[in-house]
Amino acid sequence: MAGNCFGKLFNLTTYGESHGPALGGVIDGCPPGISLDLEEIQNELNRRKPGQSKIVTQRKEPDTVEFHSGIFEGVTTGTPIGFVIKNTNQKSKDYSHIKDSYRPSHADYTYDKKYGLRDYRGGGRSSARETACRVVAGAIAKQVLKDIKITAYVSRVGTMGLDKPYEELDLTLVESNIVRCPDTEMAKKMEDYIKEVRSKGDTVGGVVSCVIQNVPAGLGEPVFDKLHAELGKAMLSINAVKGFEYGSGFHGSTMYGSDHNDAFNTDGTTKTNFSGGIQGGISNGMDIYFNVAFKPVATLIQEYQTIDKEGKVVKMQGKGRHDPCVVPRAVPIVEAMAALVITDFYLLNKIYQ
Amino acid sequence: MAGNCFGKLFNLTTYGESHGPALGGVIDGCPPGISLDLEEIQNELNRRKPGQSKIVTQRKEPDTVEFHSGIFEGVTTGTPIGFVIKNTNQKSKDYSHIKDSYRPSHADYTYDKKYGLRDYRGGGRSSARETACRVVAGAIAKQVLKDIKITAYVSRVGTMGLDKPYEELDLTLVESNIVRCPDTEMAKKMEDYIKEVRSKGDTVGGVVSCVIQNVPAGLGEPVFDKLHAELGKAMLSINAVKGFEYGSGFHGSTMYGSDHNDAFNTDGTTKTNFSGGIQGGISNGMDIYFNVAFKPVATLIQEYQTIDKEGKVVKMQGKGRHDPCVVPRAVPIVEAMAALVITDFYLLNKIYQ
Amino acid sequence: MAGNCFGKLFNLTTYGESHGPALGGVIDGCPPGISLDLEEIQNELNRRKPGQSKIVTQRKEPDTVEFHSGIFEGVTTGTPIGFVIKNTNQKSKDYSHIKDSYRPSHADYTYDKKYGLRDYRGGGRSSARETACRVVAGAIAKQVLKDIKITAYVSRVGTMGLDKPYEELDLTLVESNIVRCPDTEMAKKMEDYIKEVRSKGDTVGGVVSCVIQNVPAGLGEPVFDKLHAELGKAMLSINAVKGFEYGSGFHGSTMYGSDHNDAFNTDGTTKTNFSGGIQGGISNGMDIYFNVAFKPVATLIQEYQTIDKEGKVVKMQGKGRHDPCVVPRAVPIVEAMAALVITDFYLLNKIYQ
Amino acid sequence: MAGNCFGKLFNLTTYGESHGPALGGVIDGCPPGISLDLEEIQNELNRRKPGQSKIVTQRKEPDTVEFHSGIFEGVTTGTPIGFVIKNTNQKSKDYSHIKDSYRPSHADYTYDKKYGLRDYRGGGRSSARETACRVVAGAIAKQVLKDIKITAYVSRVGTMGLDKPYEELDLTLVESNIVRCPDTEMAKKMEDYIKEVRSKGDTVGGVVSCVIQNVPAGLGEPVFDKLHAELGKAMLSINAVKGFEYGSGFHGSTMYGSDHNDAFNTDGTTKTNFSGGIQGGISNGMDIYFNVAFKPVATLIQEYQTIDKEGKVVKMQGKGRHDPCVVPRAVPIVEAMAALVITDFYLLNKIYQ
């Protein structure tokens, strides 16, 4: 109810504040008998980790995951998988200046309005640090899914957008650069752009695109829990996300039906894929693809005015260790959330078999 | 689990196929003691009803809702509200030609893949006729919310878009025209455009925008069940929706943080509202606004080729009674889903009080 | 949340008051492709129906179920099954005398305390009439389960108890008498006893026992959702139930481990079955059996004193059409709830296969 | 879905195996602003702890709980409370002899049937060690409930039963003896009895009774989620429980309505309380009381025959550190589960206010 659980059959519950002793989570419903590659899980965490490159926050966290249960002799047992990621580099004093103030476009004000109090250190629970737990669960989900391939990449940084559809990109190049854009030329430009933005103490938004391949037809539930509705919720639940579109997306709203309809081939595949692999909320076996819009990070390394709890105007100076652009680190988070959604429907679909 | 329930505390379960005897639903969790205006509920249904104007499907359905429970002497009792909307104008023979074929960009193929069979009459459960039940529940939710005002309107039909932000529109004019666009001049153009599209047997997409006013600060749950994540899921669950964005949306991904941050006034309101009334997944008391993209309706009144269950190519001729553009009738559905989401969080928030 | 839903994968939501226009429900998650025997469903309803014999309430209700959706050409489609049972014999005036008074050991007082108001006619939502919807859903669940056989019977009426274990009874005789006790000699005594109790305007409690046969090993979830915990909840949710025990039950608490342990045969069956077919919350393939205790019906056909809303003492005279002993009609309800629980776990277990 | 979550608004998810590195859990939905007495939480854990007295298992575990989140400066923040209890005294070699065998009346066989494999060390997830996490959550729930007082006690050990109703007992004496029976004379007899049973390498069952005082009227949801149905499920989910009854319980099934009905006093209280504080599934403000039956522990310190995975007969010798009678340590567990149920309904009831 309180929003820290995700998924029905493959269920993740997370906890943890940015500057508490640890983050952690419980995965309930992981099928038994899966030989987990623990190194691969840590690899995914490393893709999200702060300090991994010059264009992300320089907070230093090893983000090492420890498993407490649900795995026996390297194999999942079907019982819940409890895990913990210790916080090692909390610098709480960094945040004492925001104790009584509300930073613009952060969750400081809304948490206080909702709960009457908040852990103000580093954004507390509202920090994107929470997504580390999602990456752990997503990495396990990917291993449940095996042949279903989920690939996210950066397709826009600020006004700098990659206009090619995913079919024209070499998705194996995503990890070849620190921006995580598969067009290496564009990646270089984006990297320079991000550095420039950071040098001004500013931040910039971006878009992460994602492709899911080898999804069998039949995943998703019609009506309220449509496959793309759950994907949308999953993506919108990621910090800083402002929009989601799949298949033809917002552009599709400008099209004629005669152009938009995906004609069938005789094997059930379609000649075009404006549907984005989903029809009536259920996968049709074609590639699923979608875009996720991220706003610019709210923390600027600039002086600014804001208000405190009493409504008095206060001057503040952004400091600390923050990302000038969130999308490079958001790539594994988008993949993780996609993996959670697909796994949930994959398991649910077994009931129909 | 099977996706026909929506909401936690204000919970709607719906049933019904396009051409079965009736649609219906159950609202569980409606607070007791609310004097329901039943006429107002029927009014909302009439806004969604087929045959209401020249630019929508001409299927004739009275769409009269009957209540079976949960209301006693005009007042809600806190027990579940069961309701039924009878189907009166089923023309099942209209659909016999699609029994063994898969219409492009419909859910025919995916339902067969998921369930192994389907009620092919009028799309069966995948028909947008199901949304009538959502409108009933949403109309009740609106009466629970009282002062919270939800207004949706058509902001785009095909390439014809309304570029003004909602603050510059007179939202009281939404119902003044059959397109439901508050800019009456633009509405006329859109109407002509839709008629032209229909005359070609074609269809076109569009966008519905929505504004929610007077929302108290504190609604929404952080992390997975963020207020905008639930709104997004709700909107994406509506038939034909391809995208959702709130506040600055996709445009926000091109912006700098220094432009995007919403500076506070001393009363806690903000000078700008790129946040769209939601920060960290929780309402901040400012207006919530969002856009919902609809694809063009898949049913064309044209001849086309497709495949049947055996994968053989068959020629088909679109016929029946369909909408050339779905957005005018989608306006009350968007409002209804928004009302369901807000009511759920409104009730949930009582726990914090 | 508000308690009118039951089950996860095979989910029943019910609505309806005793004296409203209709009761009804929605079954979400029924697997597709099941040829439903609708007559069999009505038969189950008839077993619960008022007026069926001389020892039950003489309210006359046909209790005819109408299906609105989810069944196409006699076969389930996987979409929700909506159904309605109309109330035809409401005599609301019978209940005007209780409008402002609280009948002892009914839910009048607690509904008023919880909701601030209530539909006082015939107990409103608190009436056991609601269980008709459970019987419909249970009858469908039984058809999903096919070979799993659920048999309930009356094992006690007041102090008159059947001391034989179920293995020594001929369970095919349950329907051979109006008490639904498989020991026909005992049944006759119980019948006479119930008539005698009724002649005094009094009521008496009883016990329903239930056996579930051919359950595969592996159903149930450990920890909180143990198979017997869900069975217990299901039974305790039936009106007038005061206790639940399975396997050795309360008697088991007096035993030694050396007597209670069920030694294995080499085929995995056990020599004794004090475990009641469930170990660690999971079925082991042996018969599941349990007892459900019902209190005496609270409505007496006698004069009595009670209080009204203002706390004033008022004299009342029980009248209307009520059951002197609830257990004969409770037999199909117990079976229905057992069927719902087993079906839910049966579907959930497919995830492990 | 997989059964490791409990509660709706005050939601507990647990993980952990008997001999893994740690147990732990997440409480989602704890209201903000509660000053937690952490020592009191540890006290509750100590009441459940192994090795606490001569009549319980001599496994030595400090059972120290560490909190990771959700508490800031001693006060709950409304965000999830993650906690961990490390296992320090795992003697996994103690259990190697059961790796391929199925102990009678344990969950070895059923886990293998369900999951295809199991963590055989100390019963793995099926161990009652899991209940330590419930006690942590229950101790927090008690602090949420403040004035609502929950007291459990041992009322039966084997055939040795306390026949007095709770009103005639001095419940402040529960902790005065190691059996946790408030009748100190009877407690002494029970203690001797348990020692005698243990000296034979045998075990014995028992009953825990529980009283909940100061519950406001109006808690509970009618129909499926009746207050006593959720209490019943909660109790039946505790390891070794075979039965649950509340108020008049099984004895009530032998009574006449004219004796069983609880006549009102003019203040809304009742002269008798056969209802057990609950009518129609909703609390009426009177004391809630119930009994929970526990079977004898399955592990005997005796030689016995059983089967292995291949169905071959094997001889085994019970050893290790086990409880001769589980009820003294079950007292805080029963209280904890009761606290979880009441807290959930207490929060849910705020919606009606």
Side-chain angles (χ1 to χ4, degrees):
Chain A
M1 273 313 92
N4 297 286
C5 285
F6 188 83
K8 292 163 188 160
L9 292 174
F10 191 89
N11 181 264
L12 171 67
T13 304
T14 71
Y15 67 80
E17 277 82 43
S18 174
H19 285 61
L23 308 164
V26 188
I27 301 161
D28 195 17
C30 184
I34 295 173
S35 297
L36 284 186
D37 182 339
L38 299 182
E39 204 179 329
E40 187 50 37
I41 298 168
Q42 187 60 51
N43 285 349
E44 289 293 302
L45 262 180
N46 294 348
R47 294 174 73 206
R48 197 213 72 97
K49 186 163 79 166
Q52 66 181 272
S53 78
K54 294 164 292 178
I55 57 169
V56 307
T57 172
Q58 297 303 303
R59 176 172 174 168
K60 292 289 182 197
E61 282 286 0
D63 277 1
T64 307
V65 61
E66 300 165 37
F67 290 101
H68 283 179
S69 65
I71 306 169
F72 182 55
E73 300 175 343
V75 176
T76 59
T77 58
T79 62
I81 300 172
F83 62 88
V84 168
I85 300 169
K86 294 210 176 96
N87 287 326
T88 63
N89 193 19
Q90 312 101 302
K91 297 199 177 169
S92 298
K93 57 187 169 190
D94 276 359
Y95 293 95
S96 55
H97 61 296
I98 60 166
K99 184 176 176 178
D100 297 315
S101 304
Y102 298 134
R103 293 168 300 164
S105 292
H106 276 87
D108 300 344
Y109 178 80
T110 55
Y111 266 62
D112 257 18
K113 288 289 158 185
K114 183 173 191 71
Y115 299 113
L117 81 172
R118 72 182 205 277
D119 177 350
Y120 53 80
R121 300 167 302 165
R125 182 68 180 153
S126 74
S127 163
R129 185 146 178 70
E130 172 271 331
T131 58
C133 295
R134 306 186 186 203
V135 170
V136 171
I140 293 175
K142 281 182 177 177
Q143 297 189 33
V144 173
L145 293 176
K146 285 186 202 114
D147 296 336
I148 298 177
K149 200 171 159 48
I150 300 170
T151 314
Y153 60 92
V154 169
S155 60
R156 169 176 297 281
V157 171
T159 52
M160 208 168 283
L162 193 62
D163 284 333
K164 295 177 198 161
Y166 76 90
E167 297 94 331
E168 295 174 22
L169 296 168
D170 180 354
L171 297 179
T172 64
L173 297 177
V174 175
E175 292 299 315
S176 71
N177 59 76
I178 58 178
V179 178
R180 294 199 168 92
C181 173
D183 180 317
T184 50
E185 208 172 325
M186 177 59 93
K188 187 73 190 86
K189 289 184 203 164
M190 288 170 167
E191 183 185 330
D192 293 342
Y193 183 33
I194 294 172
K195 286 177 180 166
E196 187 197 323
V197 166
R198 187 179 52 187
S199 70
K200 296 177 185 160
D202 211 338
T203 62
V204 71
V207 171
V208 174
S209 298
C210 186
V211 190
I212 314 176
Q213 292 164 309
N214 298 329
V215 180
L219 301 200
E221 296 294 324
V223 189
F224 297 113
D225 297 351
K226 291 184 165 84
L227 177 46
H228 57 266
E230 295 290 358
L231 281 171
K233 178 184 163 179
M235 298 308 146
L236 288 156
S237 79
I238 301 173
N239 306 52
V241 172
K242 302 297 285 187
F244 170 86
E245 60 178 1
Y246 82 103
S248 63
F250 274 86
H251 177 66
S253 71
T254 68
M255 292 173 71
Y256 291 111
S258 52
D259 293 326
H260 192 276
N261 277 358
D262 294 317
F264 278 105
N265 296 311
T266 53
D267 62 355
T269 62
T270 58
K271 294 179 204 299
T272 51
N273 184 16
F274 292 107
S275 296
I278 303 172
Q279 289 169 335
I282 304 171
S283 65
N284 68 354
M286 300 294 289
D287 289 352
I288 294 171
Y289 63 97
F290 56 85
N291 297 318
V292 187
F294 289 79
K295 69 166 189 170
V297 171
T299 304
L300 313 180
I301 310 304
Q302 302 178 344
E303 202 187 68
Y304 61 95
Q305 280 193 338
T306 191
I307 59 166
D308 66 11
K309 286 187 183 186
E310 274 68 45
K312 285 187 202 145
V313 174
V314 290
K315 245 183 203 156
M316 296 186 72
Q317 169 66 45
K319 49 186 177 177
R321 302 154 299 179
H322 297 282
D323 289 281
C325 181
V326 85
V327 287
R329 288 178 65 205
V331 164
I333 305 169
V334 165
E335 290 181 3
M337 292 309 295
L340 291 180
V341 172
I342 299 294
T343 304
D344 217 39
F345 281 118
Y346 171 80
L347 294 176
L348 191 52
N349 215 42
K350 290 197 166 191
I351 290 152
Y352 297 98
Q353 284 155 2
Chain B
M1 277 308 94
N4 299 286
C5 285
F6 188 83
K8 291 162 189 162
L9 292 174
F10 191 88
N11 182 263
L12 171 66
T13 304
T14 71
Y15 68 79
E17 276 82 42
S18 174
H19 285 63
L23 307 164
V26 188
I27 300 161
D28 195 17
C30 185
I34 295 172
S35 296
L36 284 185
D37 181 338
L38 299 182
E39 204 178 329
E40 188 49 38
I41 299 169
Q42 187 61 51
N43 284 350
E44 288 294 302
L45 262 180
N46 294 347
R47 293 174 74 207
R48 197 214 70 97
K49 185 163 80 165
Q52 65 182 271
S53 79
K54 294 163 292 177
I55 57 170
V56 307
T57 172
Q58 297 303 304
R59 177 173 173 166
K60 292 289 181 198
E61 283 286 1
D63 278 1
T64 308
V65 61
E66 299 166 37
F67 290 100
H68 283 179
S69 65
I71 306 168
F72 182 55
E73 300 174 344
V75 176
T76 60
T77 58
T79 62
I81 300 172
F83 62 89
V84 167
I85 300 168
K86 295 212 176 96
N87 287 324
T88 63
N89 194 17
Q90 312 101 304
K91 296 201 176 168
S92 297
K93 59 191 168 189
D94 276 1
Y95 293 94
S96 56
H97 60 296
I98 60 165
K99 182 177 177 179
D100 297 315
S101 303
Y102 298 134
R103 292 168 299 164
S105 292
H106 276 89
D108 301 345
Y109 178 80
T110 55
Y111 267 63
D112 258 20
K113 287 289 158 185
K114 183 171 192 71
Y115 298 113
L117 81 172
R118 73 182 203 277
D119 178 349
Y120 53 80
R121 299 167 304 164
R125 182 70 179 152
S126 74
S127 164
R129 186 149 176 67
E130 172 271 330
T131 57
C133 295
R134 306 186 186 204
V135 171
V136 171
I140 292 175
K142 281 181 178 179
Q143 297 188 33
V144 173
L145 292 176
K146 285 187 202 113
D147 296 336
I148 297 177
K149 198 171 159 50
I150 301 170
T151 314
Y153 59 93
V154 169
S155 59
R156 170 176 296 282
V157 171
T159 51
M160 207 166 282
L162 193 61
D163 284 331
K164 295 177 199 160
Y166 76 91
E167 296 95 331
E168 297 173 22
L169 296 168
D170 179 355
L171 296 180
T172 65
L173 297 177
V174 174
E175 292 299 315
S176 72
N177 60 75
I178 59 178
V179 178
R180 295 199 168 89
C181 173
D183 179 319
T184 49
E185 206 173 328
M186 177 59 93
K188 186 73 190 89
K189 288 185 204 162
M190 287 171 167
E191 182 184 331
D192 293 342
Y193 183 33
I194 293 173
K195 285 177 181 167
E196 186 198 322
V197 166
R198 187 178 52 187
S199 72
K200 295 176 185 160
D202 210 339
T203 62
V204 71
V207 172
V208 175
S209 298
C210 186
V211 190
I212 314 177
Q213 292 165 311
N214 300 329
V215 180
L219 301 199
E221 296 293 325
V223 188
F224 297 114
D225 297 351
K226 291 184 164 84
L227 177 47
H228 57 267
E230 294 291 357
L231 281 172
K233 179 184 161 176
M235 298 307 145
L236 288 156
S237 79
I238 300 173
N239 306 52
V241 172
K242 302 297 286 186
F244 169 86
E245 59 179 2
Y246 82 104
S248 62
F250 273 87
H251 177 66
S253 71
T254 67
M255 292 174 71
Y256 291 111
S258 52
D259 294 326
H260 192 277
N261 277 359
D262 294 317
F264 279 104
N265 296 311
T266 52
D267 62 355
T269 61
T270 58
K271 294 178 203 300
T272 52
N273 185 15
F274 292 107
S275 296
I278 302 171
Q279 288 169 334
I282 303 171
S283 65
N284 67 353
M286 299 293 290
D287 289 352
I288 295 171
Y289 61 98
F290 56 85
N291 298 318
V292 187
F294 290 79
K295 69 165 189 171
V297 172
T299 304
L300 313 179
I301 311 305
Q302 301 179 344
E303 199 186 72
Y304 61 95
Q305 279 193 340
T306 191
I307 59 167
D308 67 10
K309 287 187 183 184
E310 273 70 45
K312 283 188 204 146
V313 175
V314 291
K315 246 184 203 154
M316 296 187 71
Q317 169 65 46
K319 49 187 177 178
R321 302 154 299 180
H322 298 283
D323 290 281
C325 181
V326 85
V327 286
R329 288 179 63 206
V331 164
I333 305 168
V334 165
E335 289 181 3
M337 292 309 295
L340 292 179
V341 171
I342 299 294
T343 304
D344 217 37
F345 281 117
Y346 171 81
L347 295 176
L348 191 51
N349 214 43
K350 291 198 166 191
I351 291 152
Y352 298 97
Q353 286 155 0
Chain C
M1 276 310 95
N4 298 286
C5 285
F6 188 84
K8 292 163 189 161
L9 293 173
F10 191 90
N11 182 263
L12 171 66
T13 304
T14 71
Y15 68 79
E17 276 83 41
S18 174
H19 285 61
L23 307 166
V26 188
I27 301 161
D28 196 15
C30 184
I34 295 173
S35 296
L36 284 186
D37 182 337
L38 299 182
E39 203 178 330
E40 188 50 37
I41 298 169
Q42 187 61 51
N43 285 349
E44 289 293 302
L45 263 180
N46 294 347
R47 293 173 73 207
R48 197 213 71 98
K49 183 162 82 165
Q52 65 181 272
S53 78
K54 293 163 292 176
I55 57 171
V56 306
T57 172
Q58 296 304 303
R59 177 171 173 169
K60 291 292 180 194
E61 283 286 1
D63 278 1
T64 307
V65 60
E66 300 166 36
F67 290 100
H68 283 179
S69 65
I71 306 168
F72 183 55
E73 300 175 343
V75 176
T76 60
T77 59
T79 61
I81 300 172
F83 63 89
V84 168
I85 301 168
K86 293 206 178 101
N87 287 325
T88 64
N89 193 19
Q90 311 102 301
K91 296 201 177 168
S92 298
K93 57 188 168 190
D94 277 358
Y95 293 94
S96 55
H97 61 297
I98 61 166
K99 183 176 177 179
D100 297 314
S101 304
Y102 299 134
R103 293 168 298 164
S105 292
H106 276 87
D108 301 344
Y109 178 80
T110 55
Y111 267 63
D112 257 19
K113 288 288 157 186
K114 183 174 192 72
Y115 299 113
L117 80 172
R118 72 183 203 277
D119 178 350
Y120 54 81
R121 300 167 302 166
R125 182 68 177 153
S126 75
S127 163
R129 184 147 178 70
E130 172 271 331
T131 57
C133 295
R134 307 186 186 204
V135 170
V136 171
I140 292 174
K142 281 182 176 177
Q143 296 188 33
V144 172
L145 292 176
K146 284 186 200 116
D147 296 336
I148 297 177
K149 198 171 162 48
I150 300 170
T151 314
Y153 59 92
V154 169
S155 60
R156 169 175 297 281
V157 171
T159 52
M160 208 169 281
L162 194 61
D163 285 332
K164 295 176 198 163
Y166 76 90
E167 297 95 331
E168 295 174 22
L169 296 168
D170 180 354
L171 296 180
T172 64
L173 296 178
V174 174
E175 293 298 316
S176 71
N177 61 75
I178 58 178
V179 178
R180 294 199 169 91
C181 172
D183 180 318
T184 49
E185 207 173 327
M186 177 61 91
K188 188 72 191 82
K189 288 185 204 164
M190 288 170 167
E191 182 185 330
D192 293 342
Y193 183 34
I194 293 171
K195 285 177 179 168
E196 188 197 321
V197 167
R198 186 178 55 186
S199 71
K200 295 176 186 161
D202 211 337
T203 63
V204 71
V207 172
V208 174
S209 297
C210 186
V211 190
I212 314 177
Q213 292 165 309
N214 299 328
V215 180
L219 301 199
E221 296 294 324
V223 188
F224 297 113
D225 298 351
K226 291 184 166 81
L227 177 45
H228 57 267
E230 295 290 359
L231 281 171
K233 177 184 162 177
M235 298 307 145
L236 287 156
S237 78
I238 300 172
N239 307 49
V241 172
K242 303 296 286 187
F244 169 86
E245 61 178 1
Y246 83 103
S248 62
F250 274 86
H251 177 66
S253 70
T254 68
M255 291 173 71
Y256 291 111
S258 52
D259 293 327
H260 191 277
N261 277 359
D262 294 317
F264 280 105
N265 296 311
T266 52
D267 62 355
T269 61
T270 57
K271 294 179 205 299
T272 51
N273 184 16
F274 292 107
S275 296
I278 302 171
Q279 288 169 335
I282 303 170
S283 65
N284 68 354
M286 300 294 289
D287 290 351
I288 293 170
Y289 63 96
F290 56 84
N291 297 318
V292 187
F294 290 79
K295 69 166 189 171
V297 171
T299 305
L300 312 180
I301 310 305
Q302 301 179 346
E303 201 187 70
Y304 61 95
Q305 280 193 336
T306 190
I307 59 167
D308 66 12
K309 286 188 184 186
E310 274 68 47
K312 283 187 205 146
V313 175
V314 291
K315 246 184 203 156
M316 296 187 72
Q317 169 66 44
K319 49 187 177 178
R321 303 154 298 181
H322 298 280
D323 291 279
C325 181
V326 85
V327 287
R329 288 178 63 206
V331 164
I333 304 168
V334 165
E335 290 181 3
M337 292 309 294
L340 291 179
V341 171
I342 299 293
T343 303
D344 217 38
F345 281 118
Y346 171 81
L347 294 176
L348 191 52
N349 215 43
K350 290 196 166 191
I351 290 153
Y352 299 96
Q353 283 155 3
Chain D
M1 275 308 95
N4 298 286
C5 286
F6 188 84
K8 291 162 190 162
L9 293 173
F10 191 89
N11 181 264
L12 171 67
T13 304
T14 72
Y15 68 79
E17 276 83 41
S18 174
H19 285 62
L23 308 165
V26 188
I27 300 161
D28 196 16
C30 184
I34 296 173
S35 296
L36 284 186
D37 181 339
L38 300 182
E39 203 179 330
E40 188 49 39
I41 299 169
Q42 186 62 50
N43 284 349
E44 288 294 301
L45 262 179
N46 294 348
R47 293 173 74 207
R48 197 214 71 98
K49 185 163 80 165
Q52 66 182 268
S53 78
K54 295 164 291 178
I55 58 169
V56 307
T57 172
Q58 296 304 304
R59 177 173 174 168
K60 291 290 179 196
E61 283 285 1
D63 278 1
T64 307
V65 60
E66 299 165 37
F67 290 101
H68 283 180
S69 65
I71 306 168
F72 182 55
E73 299 174 344
V75 176
T76 59
T77 59
T79 62
I81 301 172
F83 63 89
V84 168
I85 301 168
K86 293 208 178 100
N87 287 325
T88 62
N89 193 19
Q90 311 101 304
K91 297 200 177 168
S92 297
K93 58 189 169 190
D94 276 0
Y95 292 95
S96 56
H97 61 295
I98 60 165
K99 182 177 177 178
D100 297 315
S101 303
Y102 298 134
R103 292 168 300 164
S105 292
H106 276 89
D108 301 344
Y109 178 81
T110 55
Y111 267 63
D112 258 20
K113 287 290 158 185
K114 183 172 193 72
Y115 298 113
L117 82 171
R118 73 182 203 277
D119 178 348
Y120 53 80
R121 300 167 303 165
R125 182 69 178 152
S126 74
S127 163
R129 187 149 175 68
E130 172 271 330
T131 57
C133 295
R134 307 187 185 202
V135 170
V136 171
I140 292 174
K142 281 182 178 179
Q143 297 188 32
V144 173
L145 292 176
K146 286 186 202 116
D147 296 335
I148 298 177
K149 197 169 161 49
I150 301 171
T151 315
Y153 59 93
V154 170
S155 60
R156 170 176 295 282
V157 171
T159 51
M160 207 168 285
L162 194 61
D163 285 331
K164 295 176 198 161
Y166 76 91
E167 297 95 332
E168 297 174 21
L169 296 167
D170 179 354
L171 296 180
T172 65
L173 296 177
V174 174
E175 292 298 315
S176 71
N177 60 75
I178 59 178
V179 178
R180 294 198 168 91
C181 172
D183 180 319
T184 49
E185 206 173 329
M186 177 59 93
K188 187 71 191 88
K189 286 185 205 164
M190 288 171 167
E191 182 184 331
D192 293 342
Y193 183 32
I194 293 172
K195 286 176 179 168
E196 186 198 322
V197 166
R198 187 177 52 185
S199 72
K200 294 176 185 160
D202 211 338
T203 62
V204 71
V207 171
V208 174
S209 297
C210 186
V211 190
I212 314 178
Q213 291 165 310
N214 299 329
V215 180
L219 302 199
E221 296 293 326
V223 188
F224 297 114
D225 297 351
K226 290 184 165 84
L227 177 47
H228 57 266
E230 294 291 358
L231 281 172
K233 178 183 162 179
M235 298 306 145
L236 287 156
S237 79
I238 301 173
N239 306 50
V241 172
K242 303 296 287 187
F244 169 86
E245 60 178 2
Y246 82 104
S248 63
F250 273 86
H251 177 66
S253 71
T254 67
M255 291 173 72
Y256 291 110
S258 52
D259 293 327
H260 192 277
N261 277 359
D262 293 317
F264 279 105
N265 296 312
T266 52
D267 61 356
T269 62
T270 58
K271 295 178 203 297
T272 52
N273 186 14
F274 292 107
S275 296
I278 303 172
Q279 289 169 334
I282 303 171
S283 64
N284 68 354
M286 300 294 290
D287 290 351
I288 295 171
Y289 62 97
F290 56 84
N291 298 317
V292 187
F294 290 79
K295 69 167 189 170
V297 172
T299 305
L300 314 179
I301 311 304
Q302 300 179 346
E303 199 185 73
Y304 61 94
Q305 279 194 338
T306 191
I307 59 167
D308 66 11
K309 286 188 184 186
E310 273 69 46
K312 282 187 205 148
V313 174
V314 291
K315 246 184 204 154
M316 296 187 73
Q317 169 67 44
K319 50 186 176 178
R321 302 154 299 180
H322 298 281
D323 290 280
C325 181
V326 85
V327 287
R329 288 179 63 206
V331 164
I333 306 169
V334 165
E335 289 180 4
M337 293 309 296
L340 292 179
V341 171
I342 299 294
T343 304
D344 217 39
F345 281 118
Y346 171 80
L347 294 176
L348 191 52
N349 214 43
K350 290 196 166 191
I351 291 153
Y352 298 96
Q353 285 156 1

